[in-house]
Amino acid sequence: MKHGKKGKTFGRETKQRKALMRSLAVALIQNNRITTTQAKAKALRPYIEKMITKGKVQSLSTTRHLSSMLPTASVNKLVKEISPKYAQRPGGYTRIRNLAPRMSDGARMAIIEFV
């Protein structure tokens, strides 16, 4: 039973799900906008926003913490370019815009981007 459980599993095991979130976060950091399914975009939003909030504090410990979750190039871009842009913003760094359903399987699609 799924009593008291939070979050979507996407039909994947834990390591696969973490790898999915990590790869989506890296793609969003590198491209500033990605197109994915609506469910994945909604799951990615709190994951990436917590990283941006963490990156607003410019310290070695935050860089090392983010490095444990992301590759070095993505961490550098996050800490040096993206997080300083949102220094005065209290939250809500991403926007999800809905698209038409995917033709092949009818999955709801969305664009997630930085505000």
Coordinates of all heavy atoms in Angstrom, one line a residue, residues 12-112:
R12 N 9.7 3.9 -11.9 CA 11.1 3.6 -11.9 C 11.6 3.3 -10.4 O 10.9 3.7 -9.5 CB 11.9 4.8 -12.3 CG 11.7 5.1 -13.8 CD 12.3 6.5 -14.2 NE 12.5 6.6 -15.6 CZ 11.5 7.1 -16.4 NH1 10.4 7.5 -15.9 NH2 11.7 7.3 -17.7
E13 N 12.7 2.6 -10.3 CA 13.3 2.4 -9.0 C 14.0 3.7 -8.5 O 14.1 4.6 -9.3 CB 14.3 1.3 -9.1 CG 13.6 -0.1 -9.4 CD 14.6 -1.2 -9.6 OE1 15.9 -1.0 -9.4 OE2 14.2 -2.3 -9.9
T14 N 14.4 3.7 -7.3 CA 14.9 4.9 -6.7 C 16.1 5.5 -7.5 O 16.2 6.7 -7.8 CB 15.3 4.7 -5.2 OG1 14.2 4.1 -4.6 CG2 15.8 5.9 -4.6
K15 N 17.1 4.7 -7.8 CA 18.3 5.2 -8.5 C 18.0 5.7 -9.9 O 18.5 6.7 -10.3 CB 19.4 4.1 -8.6 CG 20.0 3.7 -7.3 CD 21.1 2.7 -7.4 CE 21.7 2.4 -6.1 NZ 22.8 1.4 -6.2
Q16 N 17.1 5.0 -10.5 CA 16.7 5.5 -11.9 C 15.9 6.8 -11.8 O 16.1 7.7 -12.6 CB 15.7 4.4 -12.5 CG 16.4 3.1 -12.8 CD 15.4 2.1 -13.3 OE1 14.2 2.2 -13.0 NE2 15.9 1.0 -13.9
R17 N 15.1 7.0 -10.8 CA 14.3 8.2 -10.6 C 15.3 9.4 -10.2 O 15.1 10.5 -10.7 CB 13.3 8.0 -9.5 CG 12.2 9.0 -9.5 CD 11.0 8.6 -8.6 NE 11.4 8.0 -7.3 CZ 11.3 6.8 -6.9 NH1 10.9 5.9 -7.7 NH2 11.7 6.4 -5.7
K18 N 16.3 9.1 -9.4 CA 17.2 10.2 -9.1 C 18.1 10.5 -10.3 O 18.3 11.7 -10.5 CB 18.2 9.7 -7.9 CG 17.5 9.7 -6.6 CD 18.5 9.2 -5.5 CE 17.8 9.2 -4.2 NZ 18.7 8.7 -3.1
A19 N 18.4 9.6 -11.1 CA 19.2 9.9 -12.3 C 18.3 10.7 -13.3 O 18.8 11.6 -14.0 CB 19.6 8.6 -13.0
L20 N 17.0 10.4 -13.4 CA 16.1 11.1 -14.2 C 16.0 12.6 -13.8 O 16.2 13.5 -14.6 CB 14.7 10.5 -14.2 CG 13.6 11.3 -14.9 CD1 13.8 11.3 -16.4 CD2 12.3 10.7 -14.5
M21 N 15.9 12.8 -12.5 CA 15.8 14.2 -12.0 C 17.1 14.9 -12.2 O 17.1 16.1 -12.5 CB 15.4 14.2 -10.5 CG 14.0 13.9 -10.2 SD 12.9 15.1 -10.9 CE 12.0 14.1 -12.0
R22 N 18.2 14.2 -12.0 CA 19.5 14.8 -12.2 C 19.7 15.2 -13.6 O 20.1 16.4 -13.9 CB 20.6 13.9 -11.8 CG 22.0 14.5 -11.8 CD 23.1 13.5 -11.4 NE 22.8 13.0 -10.0 CZ 22.6 11.7 -9.7 NH1 22.6 10.8 -10.6 NH2 22.4 11.4 -8.5
S23 N 19.3 14.4 -14.6 CA 19.5 14.7 -16.0 C 18.6 15.8 -16.5 O 19.0 16.7 -17.2 CB 19.4 13.4 -16.9 OG 18.0 13.0 -16.8
L24 N 17.4 15.8 -15.9 CA 16.5 16.9 -16.3 C 17.0 18.2 -15.7 O 16.9 19.3 -16.4 CB 15.1 16.6 -15.7 CG 14.2 15.6 -16.5 CD1 13.0 15.3 -15.7 CD2 13.9 16.0 -17.9
A25 N 17.5 18.2 -14.5 CA 18.0 19.4 -13.9 C 19.3 19.9 -14.7 O 19.4 21.2 -14.9 CB 18.4 19.2 -12.4
V26 N 20.1 19.0 -15.1 CA 21.3 19.5 -15.9 C 20.9 20.1 -17.2 O 21.4 21.1 -17.6 CB 22.3 18.3 -16.1 CG1 23.3 18.6 -17.1 CG2 22.9 17.8 -14.8
A27 N 19.9 19.4 -17.8 CA 19.4 20.0 -19.1 C 18.8 21.4 -18.9 O 19.0 22.3 -19.7 CB 18.4 19.0 -19.7
L28 N 18.0 21.5 -17.9 CA 17.4 22.8 -17.6 C 18.5 23.9 -17.3 O 18.4 25.0 -17.8 CB 16.4 22.7 -16.4 CG 15.7 24.0 -16.1 CD1 14.8 24.5 -17.2 CD2 14.8 23.8 -14.9
I29 N 19.5 23.6 -16.5 CA 20.5 24.5 -16.2 C 21.3 24.9 -17.5 O 21.6 26.1 -17.7 CB 21.5 23.9 -15.1 CG1 20.7 23.9 -13.8 CG2 22.7 24.8 -15.0 CD1 21.4 23.0 -12.7
Q30 N 21.6 23.9 -18.3 CA 22.4 24.2 -19.5 C 21.6 25.0 -20.6 O 22.1 25.8 -21.3 CB 22.9 22.9 -20.1 CG 23.9 22.2 -19.2 CD 25.1 23.0 -18.8 OE1 25.6 23.8 -19.6 NE2 25.5 22.9 -17.6
N31 N 20.3 24.7 -20.7 CA 19.5 25.3 -21.8 C 18.5 26.3 -21.4 O 17.9 27.0 -22.2 CB 18.7 24.1 -22.5 CG 19.7 23.1 -23.0 OD1 20.7 23.4 -23.6 ND2 19.3 21.8 -22.9
N32 N 18.3 26.5 -20.1 CA 17.4 27.5 -19.5 C 15.9 27.2 -19.8 O 15.0 27.9 -19.4 CB 17.7 28.9 -20.0 CG 19.0 29.4 -19.5 OD1 19.4 29.0 -18.4 ND2 19.7 30.2 -20.2
R33 N 15.6 26.2 -20.6 CA 14.3 25.8 -21.0 C 14.3 24.4 -21.5 O 15.1 24.0 -22.4 CB 13.7 26.7 -22.0 CG 12.4 26.3 -22.6 CD 12.1 27.1 -23.8 NE 11.7 28.5 -23.4 CZ 11.2 29.4 -24.1 NH1 11.0 29.1 -25.4 NH2 10.9 30.6 -23.7
I34 N 13.4 23.5 -21.1 CA 13.3 22.2 -21.6 C 11.8 21.8 -21.8 O 10.9 22.3 -21.2 CB 14.0 21.1 -20.8 CG1 13.4 21.0 -19.4 CG2 15.5 21.3 -20.8 CD1 13.9 19.9 -18.5
T35 N 11.6 20.9 -22.8 CA 10.2 20.4 -23.0 C 10.2 19.0 -22.5 O 11.0 18.2 -22.9 CB 9.9 20.4 -24.5 OG1 10.0 21.8 -25.0 CG2 8.5 19.9 -24.8
T36 N 9.2 18.7 -21.7 CA 9.1 17.4 -21.1 C 7.6 17.1 -20.8 O 6.8 17.9 -21.1 CB 10.0 17.2 -19.8 OG1 9.9 15.9 -19.3 CG2 9.6 18.2 -18.7
T37 N 7.3 16.0 -20.2 CA 6.0 15.7 -19.8 C 5.6 16.6 -18.6 O 6.4 17.0 -17.8 CB 5.7 14.3 -19.4 OG1 6.5 13.9 -18.3 CG2 6.0 13.4 -20.6
Q38 N 4.3 16.8 -18.4 CA 3.8 17.7 -17.4 C 4.2 17.1 -16.0 O 4.6 17.9 -15.1 CB 2.3 17.9 -17.5 CG 1.7 19.0 -16.7 CD 0.3 19.2 -17.0 OE1 -0.5 18.2 -16.9 NE2 -0.2 20.4 -17.3
A39 N 4.0 15.9 -15.8 CA 4.3 15.2 -14.5 C 5.8 15.4 -14.2 O 6.1 15.7 -13.0 CB 3.9 13.8 -14.6
K40 N 6.7 15.2 -15.1 CA 8.1 15.3 -14.9 C 8.5 16.8 -14.6 O 9.3 17.1 -13.7 CB 8.9 14.8 -16.1 CG 8.9 13.3 -16.2 CD 9.7 12.8 -17.4 CE 9.5 11.3 -17.6 NZ 10.1 10.9 -18.9
A41 N 7.8 17.7 -15.3 CA 8.1 19.1 -15.0 C 7.7 19.5 -13.6 O 8.4 20.2 -12.9 CB 7.4 20.0 -16.1
K42 N 6.5 19.0 -13.2 CA 6.0 19.3 -11.8 C 6.9 18.7 -10.8 O 7.1 19.2 -9.7 CB 4.6 18.8 -11.7 CG 3.6 19.7 -12.4 CD 2.2 19.2 -12.2 CE 1.2 20.1 -12.8 NZ -0.2 19.6 -12.6
A43 N 7.5 17.5 -11.0 CA 8.4 16.9 -10.1 C 9.8 17.6 -10.1 O 10.4 17.6 -9.0 CB 8.6 15.4 -10.4
L44 N 10.2 18.1 -11.2 CA 11.5 18.8 -11.3 C 11.5 20.2 -10.6 O 12.5 20.6 -10.1 CB 11.8 19.0 -12.8 CG 13.2 19.7 -13.1 CD1 14.3 18.9 -12.5 CD2 13.3 19.9 -14.6
R45 N 10.3 20.8 -10.6 CA 10.3 22.2 -10.1 C 10.8 22.3 -8.6 O 11.7 23.1 -8.4 CB 8.8 22.7 -10.1 CG 8.7 24.1 -9.5 CD 7.3 24.5 -9.5 NE 7.1 25.5 -10.6 CZ 6.0 26.0 -11.0 NH1 4.9 25.6 -10.5 NH2 5.9 26.8 -12.0
P46 N 10.3 21.6 -7.6 CA 10.9 21.7 -6.3 C 12.4 21.3 -6.2 O 13.1 21.8 -5.5 CB 10.0 20.8 -5.4 CG 9.3 20.0 -6.3 CD 9.2 20.6 -7.6
Y47 N 12.8 20.3 -7.0 CA 14.1 19.8 -7.0 C 15.1 20.9 -7.4 O 16.1 21.2 -6.8 CB 14.2 18.6 -8.0 CG 15.5 17.9 -8.0 CD1 15.9 16.9 -7.1 CD2 16.4 18.1 -9.1 CE1 17.0 16.2 -7.1 CE2 17.6 17.4 -9.1 CZ 17.9 16.5 -8.2 OH 19.1 15.8 -8.2
I48 N 14.8 21.6 -8.5 CA 15.7 22.6 -9.1 C 15.6 23.9 -8.2 O 16.6 24.6 -8.1 CB 15.4 22.9 -10.6 CG1 16.6 23.7 -11.2 CG2 14.1 23.6 -10.8 CD1 17.8 22.8 -11.4
E49 N 14.4 24.2 -7.7 CA 14.3 25.5 -6.9 C 15.0 25.4 -5.6 O 15.6 26.4 -5.1 CB 12.8 25.8 -6.7 CG 12.2 26.3 -8.0 CD 10.9 27.0 -7.9 OE1 10.4 27.2 -6.7 OE2 10.3 27.4 -8.9
K50 N 15.1 24.2 -5.0 CA 15.9 24.1 -3.8 C 17.4 24.2 -4.1 O 18.1 24.8 -3.3 CB 15.6 22.7 -3.2 CG 14.3 22.6 -2.5 CD 14.0 21.2 -2.0 CE 12.5 21.1 -1.6 NZ 12.1 19.7 -1.3
M51 N 17.8 23.8 -5.3 CA 19.2 24.0 -5.7 C 19.5 25.4 -5.9 O 20.6 25.9 -5.5 CB 19.5 23.2 -6.9 CG 19.6 21.7 -6.7 SD 20.1 20.9 -8.3 CE 19.8 19.2 -7.9
I52 N 18.6 26.2 -6.5 CA 18.9 27.6 -6.7 C 18.9 28.4 -5.4 O 19.8 29.2 -5.2 CB 17.8 28.2 -7.7 CG1 17.9 27.6 -9.0 CG2 17.9 29.7 -7.8 CD1 16.8 27.9 -10.0
T53 N 18.0 28.0 -4.5 CA 18.0 28.7 -3.2 C 19.3 28.4 -2.5 O 19.9 29.3 -1.8 CB 16.8 28.2 -2.4 OG1 15.6 28.5 -3.1 CG2 16.8 28.9 -1.0
K54 N 19.8 27.1 -2.6 CA 21.0 26.8 -1.9 C 22.2 27.5 -2.6 O 23.1 28.0 -1.9 CB 21.2 25.2 -2.1 CG 22.5 24.7 -1.4 CD 22.2 24.6 0.0 CE 22.2 23.2 0.6 NZ 22.3 23.3 2.0
G55 N 22.1 27.7 -3.9 CA 23.2 28.3 -4.6 C 23.3 29.8 -4.4 O 24.3 30.5 -4.7
K56 N 22.2 30.4 -3.8 CA 22.3 31.9 -3.6 C 23.3 32.2 -2.5 O 23.8 33.3 -2.5 CB 20.9 32.4 -3.1 CG 19.9 32.4 -4.3 CD 18.7 33.3 -4.1 CE 17.7 32.9 -3.1 NZ 16.5 33.7 -3.1
V57 N 23.6 31.2 -1.6 CA 24.6 31.4 -0.6 C 25.9 31.0 -1.2 O 26.2 29.8 -1.5 CB 24.3 30.6 0.7 CG1 25.4 30.7 1.7 CG2 23.0 30.9 1.2
Q58 N 26.8 32.0 -1.5 CA 28.1 31.7 -2.2 C 29.1 31.2 -1.2 O 29.8 32.0 -0.5 CB 28.6 33.0 -2.8 CG 27.6 33.6 -3.8 CD 27.8 33.1 -5.2 OE1 28.9 32.7 -5.6 NE2 26.7 33.1 -6.0
S59 N 29.2 29.9 -1.0 CA 30.2 29.4 -0.1 C 30.7 28.1 -0.6 O 30.1 27.4 -1.5 CB 29.6 29.2 1.3 OG 28.7 28.2 1.3
L60 N 31.8 27.6 -0.1 CA 32.4 26.4 -0.5 C 31.6 25.2 -0.1 O 31.4 24.3 -0.9 CB 33.8 26.2 0.2 CG 34.6 25.0 -0.2 CD1 34.9 24.9 -1.7 CD2 35.9 24.9 0.6
S61 N 30.9 25.3 1.0 CA 30.1 24.1 1.4 C 28.9 24.0 0.5 O 28.5 22.8 0.2 CB 29.6 24.3 2.9 OG 28.8 25.4 3.0
T62 N 28.3 25.1 0.1 CA 27.1 24.9 -0.8 C 27.6 24.4 -2.2 O 26.9 23.6 -2.8 CB 26.4 26.3 -1.0 OG1 27.3 27.2 -1.5 CG2 25.8 26.7 0.3
T63 N 28.7 24.8 -2.6 CA 29.3 24.3 -3.9 C 29.5 22.8 -3.8 O 29.2 22.1 -4.7 CB 30.5 25.1 -4.3 OG1 30.3 26.5 -4.3 CG2 31.0 24.7 -5.7
R64 N 30.1 22.4 -2.7 CA 30.4 21.0 -2.6 C 29.1 20.2 -2.4 O 29.0 19.1 -3.0 CB 31.2 20.7 -1.3 CG 32.7 21.1 -1.6 CD 33.5 20.9 -0.4 NE 34.9 21.2 -0.7 CZ 35.9 21.3 0.2 NH1 35.6 21.1 1.5 NH2 37.1 21.5 -0.2
H65 N 28.1 20.7 -1.7 CA 26.8 20.0 -1.6 C 26.1 19.9 -3.0 O 25.6 18.8 -3.3 CB 25.9 20.8 -0.6 CG 24.6 20.2 -0.5 ND1 24.4 19.0 0.3 CD2 23.3 20.5 -1.0 CE1 23.1 18.7 0.3 NE2 22.5 19.5 -0.5
L66 N 26.2 21.0 -3.8 CA 25.6 20.9 -5.1 C 26.4 20.0 -6.0 O 25.8 19.3 -6.9 CB 25.5 22.3 -5.7 CG 24.4 23.2 -5.0 CD1 24.6 24.6 -5.6 CD2 23.0 22.7 -5.2
S67 N 27.7 19.9 -5.8 CA 28.5 19.0 -6.6 C 28.2 17.5 -6.4 O 28.5 16.7 -7.2 CB 30.0 19.2 -6.3 OG 30.4 20.5 -6.8
S68 N 27.6 17.2 -5.2 CA 27.3 15.8 -4.9 C 26.0 15.4 -5.7 O 25.7 14.3 -5.8 CB 27.0 15.6 -3.4 OG 25.9 16.3 -3.0
M69 N 25.3 16.4 -6.2 CA 24.0 16.2 -6.9 C 24.2 16.4 -8.4 O 23.4 15.8 -9.2 CB 22.9 17.0 -6.4 CG 22.5 16.7 -4.9 SD 21.1 17.7 -4.4 CE 21.8 19.3 -4.0
L70 N 25.1 17.3 -8.9 CA 25.2 17.7 -10.3 C 26.6 17.6 -10.7 O 27.5 17.7 -9.9 CB 24.7 19.1 -10.4 CG 23.2 19.4 -10.1 CD1 22.9 20.9 -10.2 CD2 22.3 18.6 -11.1
P71 N 26.9 17.6 -12.0 CA 28.2 17.7 -12.6 C 28.8 19.0 -12.3 O 28.1 20.0 -12.1 CB 28.1 17.4 -14.1 CG 26.7 16.9 -14.3 CD 25.9 17.3 -13.1
T72 N 30.1 19.1 -12.3 CA 30.8 20.4 -12.0 C 30.5 21.5 -12.9 O 30.3 22.7 -12.4 CB 32.4 20.1 -12.1 OG1 32.7 19.0 -11.3 CG2 33.1 21.3 -11.6
A73 N 30.3 21.3 -14.2 CA 30.0 22.4 -15.1 C 28.6 23.0 -14.8 O 28.4 24.2 -14.9 CB 30.0 21.9 -16.6
S74 N 27.7 22.1 -14.5 CA 26.3 22.6 -14.1 C 26.3 23.4 -12.8 O 25.6 24.4 -12.6 CB 25.4 21.4 -14.0 OG 25.2 20.8 -15.3
V75 N 27.1 22.9 -11.8 CA 27.2 23.6 -10.6 C 27.8 25.0 -10.7 O 27.3 26.0 -10.2 CB 28.1 22.8 -9.5 CG1 28.3 23.6 -8.3 CG2 27.3 21.5 -9.2
N76 N 28.9 25.1 -11.6 CA 29.5 26.4 -11.8 C 28.5 27.3 -12.4 O 28.4 28.5 -12.0 CB 30.7 26.2 -12.7 CG 31.9 25.5 -11.9 OD1 31.9 25.5 -10.7 ND2 32.8 24.9 -12.7
K77 N 27.7 26.9 -13.4 CA 26.8 27.8 -14.1 C 25.7 28.2 -13.1 O 25.2 29.3 -13.0 CB 26.2 27.1 -15.3 CG 25.2 28.0 -16.1 CD 24.8 27.5 -17.4 CE 23.9 28.5 -18.1 NZ 23.5 28.0 -19.4
L78 N 25.2 27.2 -12.3 CA 24.2 27.5 -11.3 C 24.6 28.5 -10.3 O 23.9 29.5 -10.0 CB 23.8 26.2 -10.6 CG 22.6 26.2 -9.6 CD1 21.3 26.5 -10.3 CD2 22.5 24.9 -8.8
V79 N 25.8 28.3 -9.7 CA 26.3 29.2 -8.6 C 26.7 30.6 -9.2 O 26.4 31.6 -8.6 CB 27.4 28.5 -7.9 CG1 28.1 29.5 -6.9 CG2 26.9 27.3 -7.2
K80 N 27.3 30.6 -10.4 CA 27.9 31.9 -10.9 C 26.9 32.7 -11.7 O 27.1 33.9 -11.8 CB 29.2 31.6 -11.6 CG 30.3 31.1 -10.8 CD 31.5 30.8 -11.5 CE 32.6 30.2 -10.6 NZ 33.7 29.6 -11.3
E81 N 26.0 32.0 -12.4 CA 25.1 32.8 -13.3 C 23.7 32.8 -12.9 O 23.1 33.8 -12.9 CB 25.2 32.2 -14.7 CG 26.6 32.3 -15.4 CD 26.7 31.6 -16.7 OE1 25.6 31.4 -17.4 OE2 27.8 31.2 -17.1
I82 N 23.1 31.6 -12.6 CA 21.7 31.5 -12.4 C 21.3 32.0 -11.0 O 20.4 32.9 -10.9 CB 21.2 30.1 -12.6 CG1 21.5 29.7 -14.1 CG2 19.7 29.9 -12.3 CD1 21.2 28.3 -14.4
S83 N 21.9 31.6 -10.0 CA 21.5 31.9 -8.6 C 21.7 33.4 -8.3 O 20.8 34.0 -7.7 CB 22.3 31.1 -7.6 OG 21.9 29.8 -7.6
P84 N 22.7 34.1 -8.7 CA 22.8 35.6 -8.5 C 21.7 36.4 -9.1 O 21.3 37.4 -8.6 CB 24.2 36.0 -9.1 CG 25.0 34.7 -9.0 CD 24.0 33.6 -9.3
K85 N 21.1 35.9 -10.2 CA 20.0 36.5 -10.9 C 18.8 36.6 -10.0 O 18.0 37.6 -10.0 CB 19.6 35.8 -12.2 CG 20.1 36.4 -13.4 CD 19.5 35.9 -14.7 CE 18.8 34.6 -14.7 NZ 18.5 34.1 -16.1
Y86 N 18.6 35.6 -9.1 CA 17.5 35.6 -8.2 C 17.8 35.9 -6.8 O 17.1 35.5 -5.9 CB 16.9 34.1 -8.3 CG 16.5 33.7 -9.7 CD1 17.2 32.7 -10.4 CD2 15.4 34.4 -10.4 CE1 16.8 32.4 -11.7 CE2 15.1 34.0 -11.7 CZ 15.8 33.0 -12.3 OH 15.4 32.7 -13.6
A87 N 18.8 36.7 -6.6 CA 19.3 37.0 -5.2 C 18.2 37.7 -4.4 O 18.0 37.5 -3.2 CB 20.5 37.9 -5.2
Q88 N 17.4 38.6 -5.0 CA 16.4 39.3 -4.3 C 15.0 38.7 -4.4 O 14.1 39.1 -3.8 CB 16.2 40.7 -5.0 CG 17.5 41.6 -4.9 CD 18.0 41.7 -3.5 OE1 17.2 42.0 -2.6 NE2 19.3 41.6 -3.2
R89 N 14.9 37.6 -5.1 CA 13.6 36.9 -5.3 C 13.4 35.8 -4.2 O 14.3 35.0 -4.0 CB 13.6 36.3 -6.7 CG 12.2 35.8 -7.1 CD 12.3 35.3 -8.5 NE 11.0 34.8 -9.0 CZ 10.2 35.5 -9.8 NH1 10.5 36.6 -10.2 NH2 9.0 35.0 -10.1
P90 N 12.3 35.8 -3.5 CA 12.1 34.9 -2.4 C 11.8 33.4 -2.8 O 11.8 32.5 -2.0 CB 11.0 35.4 -1.6 CG 10.2 36.2 -2.6 CD 11.2 36.8 -3.6
G91 N 11.5 33.2 -4.1 CA 11.2 31.9 -4.6 C 10.5 31.9 -5.9 O 10.3 33.0 -6.4
G92 N 10.1 30.8 -6.4 CA 9.4 30.8 -7.7 C 10.3 31.2 -8.8 O 10.0 32.1 -9.6
Y93 N 11.3 30.4 -9.0 CA 12.3 30.7 -10.0 C 12.0 30.0 -11.4 O 12.6 30.4 -12.4 CB 13.7 30.2 -9.6 CG 14.0 30.5 -8.2 CD1 14.2 29.5 -7.2 CD2 14.2 31.8 -7.8 CE1 14.5 29.8 -5.9 CE2 14.5 32.1 -6.5 CZ 14.7 31.1 -5.5 OH 15.0 31.4 -4.3
T94 N 11.0 29.1 -11.4 CA 10.7 28.4 -12.6 C 9.2 28.6 -13.0 O 8.4 29.0 -12.2 CB 11.0 26.9 -12.5 OG1 10.2 26.4 -11.4 CG2 12.4 26.6 -12.3
R95 N 8.9 28.5 -14.3 CA 7.6 28.6 -14.8 C 7.3 27.3 -15.6 O 8.1 26.9 -16.4 CB 7.5 29.8 -15.7 CG 6.2 30.0 -16.5 CD 6.3 31.1 -17.5 NE 6.7 32.3 -16.9 CZ 7.6 33.2 -17.3 NH1 8.2 32.9 -18.5 NH2 7.9 34.3 -16.7
I96 N 6.1 26.8 -15.5 CA 5.7 25.6 -16.3 C 4.5 26.1 -17.2 O 3.5 26.6 -16.7 CB 5.2 24.5 -15.4 CG1 6.4 24.0 -14.5 CG2 4.6 23.4 -16.2 CD1 6.0 22.9 -13.5
R97 N 4.8 26.0 -18.5 CA 3.7 26.3 -19.5 C 3.3 25.0 -20.1 O 4.1 24.2 -20.6 CB 4.3 27.3 -20.5 CG 4.6 28.6 -19.9 CD 5.0 29.6 -20.9 NE 6.0 29.1 -21.8 CZ 6.3 29.6 -23.0 NH1 5.7 30.7 -23.4 NH2 7.3 29.1 -23.7
N98 N 2.0 24.8 -20.2 CA 1.4 23.6 -20.8 C 1.4 23.7 -22.3 O 1.2 24.8 -22.9 CB 0.0 23.4 -20.3 CG 0.0 23.1 -18.8 OD1 0.9 22.5 -18.3 ND2 -1.1 23.5 -18.1
L99 N 1.6 22.6 -23.0 CA 1.6 22.4 -24.4 C 0.5 21.5 -24.8 O -0.2 20.9 -24.0 CB 2.9 21.9 -24.9 CG 4.1 22.8 -24.7 CD1 5.4 22.0 -25.1 CD2 4.0 24.1 -25.4
A100 N 0.3 21.3 -26.1 CA -0.6 20.3 -26.6 C -0.1 18.9 -26.3 O 1.1 18.7 -26.1 CB -0.8 20.5 -28.1
P101 N -1.0 17.9 -26.2 CA -0.6 16.6 -25.9 C 0.3 16.0 -27.0 O 0.2 16.4 -28.2 CB -1.9 15.8 -25.8 CG -2.9 16.8 -25.6 CD -2.5 18.0 -26.2
R102 N 1.2 15.1 -26.6 CA 2.1 14.5 -27.6 C 1.3 13.6 -28.5 O 0.4 12.9 -28.1 CB 3.1 13.6 -26.8 CG 4.3 13.1 -27.6 CD 5.4 12.7 -26.8 NE 5.1 11.8 -25.7 CZ 5.9 11.6 -24.6 NH1 7.1 12.2 -24.6 NH2 5.6 10.8 -23.6
M103 N 1.7 13.6 -29.8 CA 0.9 12.9 -30.8 C 1.0 11.4 -30.6 O 0.0 10.7 -30.8 CB 1.5 13.2 -32.2 CG 1.2 14.7 -32.6 SD -0.6 15.0 -32.8 CE -0.9 14.0 -34.3
S104 N 2.1 10.9 -30.3 CA 2.3 9.4 -30.2 C 1.5 8.7 -29.2 O 0.8 7.7 -29.4 CB 3.8 9.0 -30.1 OG 4.3 9.6 -28.9
D105 N 1.5 9.2 -28.0 CA 0.8 8.5 -26.9 C -0.1 9.4 -26.1 O -0.8 9.0 -25.2 CB 1.8 7.9 -25.9 CG 2.8 9.0 -25.3 OD1 2.7 10.2 -25.7 OD2 3.6 8.6 -24.4
G106 N -0.3 10.7 -26.5 CA -1.2 11.6 -25.9 C -0.8 12.1 -24.5 O -1.6 12.6 -23.8
A107 N 0.5 11.9 -24.2 CA 1.0 12.4 -22.9 C 0.9 14.0 -22.8 O 1.2 14.6 -23.8 CB 2.4 12.0 -22.6
R108 N 0.5 14.5 -21.7 CA 0.5 15.9 -21.5 C 1.9 16.5 -21.5 O 2.7 16.0 -20.7 CB -0.2 16.3 -20.3 CG -1.7 16.0 -20.3 CD -2.3 16.4 -19.0 NE -3.8 16.1 -19.0 CZ -4.6 16.5 -18.2 NH1 -4.2 17.3 -17.2 NH2 -5.9 16.2 -18.3
M109 N 2.2 17.5 -22.3 CA 3.5 18.0 -22.4 C 3.6 19.4 -21.8 O 2.5 20.1 -21.7 CB 4.0 18.1 -23.9 CG 4.0 16.7 -24.6 SD 5.2 15.6 -23.8 CE 6.7 16.4 -24.3
A110 N 4.8 19.8 -21.4 CA 4.9 21.1 -20.8 C 6.3 21.6 -21.0 O 7.3 20.9 -21.3 CB 4.7 21.1 -19.3
I111 N 6.5 22.9 -21.0 CA 7.8 23.6 -21.0 C 8.1 24.1 -19.6 O 7.3 24.8 -19.0 CB 7.8 24.8 -22.0 CG1 7.6 24.3 -23.5 CG2 9.1 25.6 -21.9 CD1 7.5 25.4 -24.5
I112 N 9.3 23.8 -19.1 CA 9.7 24.3 -17.8 C 10.9 25.2 -18.1 O 11.8 24.8 -18.9 CB 10.0 23.2 -16.8 CG1 10.4 23.9 -15.4 CG2 11.1 22.3 -17.2 CD1 10.4 22.9 -14.3

